[in-house]
Amino acid sequence: MRKFRHIFLDLDRTLWDFEENSRQELESIFRKFKLQQLGISLPNEFIKIYKSINEECWSLYRLNKLSKEDLRSIRFLKTLEYFGIESKELAQNLGRDYVNNSPYRTKLIPNALELLNDLKDHYNLHIITNGFQEVQHIKVQQSGLSDFFNQDRKSTRLNS
């Protein structure tokens, strides 16, 4: 007799490769908005600064000192300011594109699908996440993970 019937998995950094998908989207934003022409010499430099500022913003968000809407634009505003670019409109556009496009990236952690295939017939699989619900559902659908999780049962819906 099995002791466990349910397995709970985090989405970001456990199944969905957050770091790689984020990097790809940030590189795409760098090219689309021609940030090199604005004085940011390399995409990796932009990404490095963004990641540092993003962590600071998430810390403030977790302390309820920053709203979700502010988090999405301020992290890019502060990144641009670091490089001497003062443009609230550009920061809002970067934030909008990042949130709208990154969930459609589909890179998974190596062997995630194999693991889920091995577990699906033996356990009820659930996703838990602290990410924003509207974004996490897209990630699950787009990356082919939805078939592993029964969305019809209340206990298997994504939580945020």
Side-chain angles (χ1 to χ4, degrees), residues 59-114:
S59 293
L60 293 172
Y61 174 78
R62 285 189 285 273
L63 295 170
N64 292 317
K65 293 183 177 182
L66 197 61
S67 70
K68 176 168 84 170
E69 294 75 27
D70 288 341
L71 167 73
R72 289 178 167 178
S73 63
I74 287 175
R75 59 189 175 178
F76 286 101
L77 181 63
K78 289 183 177 215
T79 301
L80 291 174
E81 287 173 349
Y82 176 90
F83 293 103
I85 303 166
E86 303 283 333
S87 176
K88 203 174 219 178
E89 181 182 353
L90 178 58
Q92 289 172 339
N93 289 336
L94 297 177
R96 182 197 65 240
D97 268 30
Y98 182 80
V99 168
N100 289 342
N101 298 331
S102 63
Y104 289 92
R105 302 238 173 229
T106 59
K107 177 88 169 127
L108 298 175
I109 296 293
N111 302 312
L113 291 177
E114 292 82 356

Side-chain angles (χ1 to χ4, degrees), residues 11-131:
L11 180 60
D12 291 335
R13 296 179 178 96
T14 302
L15 299 172
W16 195 78
D17 192 338
F18 179 87
E19 298 304 326
E20 180 59 21
N21 289 314
S22 178
R23 184 192 62 73
Q24 287 177 7
E25 188 56 37
L26 290 167
E27 284 181 356
S28 176
I29 285 170
F30 184 88
R31 288 188 305 275
K32 177 182 177 182
F33 290 94
K34 300 179 170 111
L35 298 182
Q36 190 168 21
Q37 293 176 7
L38 298 176
I40 305 173
S41 58
L42 299 169
N44 287 343
E45 184 180 3
F46 169 71
I47 293 168
K48 177 183 168 190
I49 299 304
Y50 166 82
K51 286 174 75 172
S52 175
I53 290 170
N54 185 47
E55 273 304 311
E56 292 171 16
C57 290
W58 271 97
S59 293
L60 293 172
Y61 174 78
R62 285 189 285 273
L63 295 170
N64 292 317
K65 293 183 177 182
L66 197 61
S67 70
K68 176 168 84 170
E69 294 75 27
D70 288 341
L71 167 73
R72 289 178 167 178
S73 63
I74 287 175
R75 59 189 175 178
F76 286 101
L77 181 63
K78 289 183 177 215
T79 301
L80 291 174
E81 287 173 349
Y82 176 90
F83 293 103
I85 303 166
E86 303 283 333
S87 176
K88 203 174 219 178
E89 181 182 353
L90 178 58
Q92 289 172 339
N93 289 336
L94 297 177
R96 182 197 65 240
D97 268 30
Y98 182 80
V99 168
N100 289 342
N101 298 331
S102 63
Y104 289 92
R105 302 238 173 229
T106 59
K107 177 88 169 127
L108 298 175
I109 296 293
N111 302 312
L113 291 177
E114 292 82 356
L115 173 66
L116 293 173
N117 271 315
D118 287 347
L119 296 174
K120 72 178 181 175
D121 293 331
H122 306 288
Y123 300 95
N124 293 307
L125 302 177
H126 308 272
I127 289 180
I128 55 173
T129 181
N130 62 350

Side-chain angles (χ1 to χ4, degrees), residues 128-142:
I128 55 173
T129 181
N130 62 350
F132 300 130
Q133 185 174 1
E134 66 275 16
V135 172
Q136 302 302 64
H137 280 286
I138 295 169
K139 291 176 184 179
V140 169
Q141 289 284 43
Q142 292 299 311

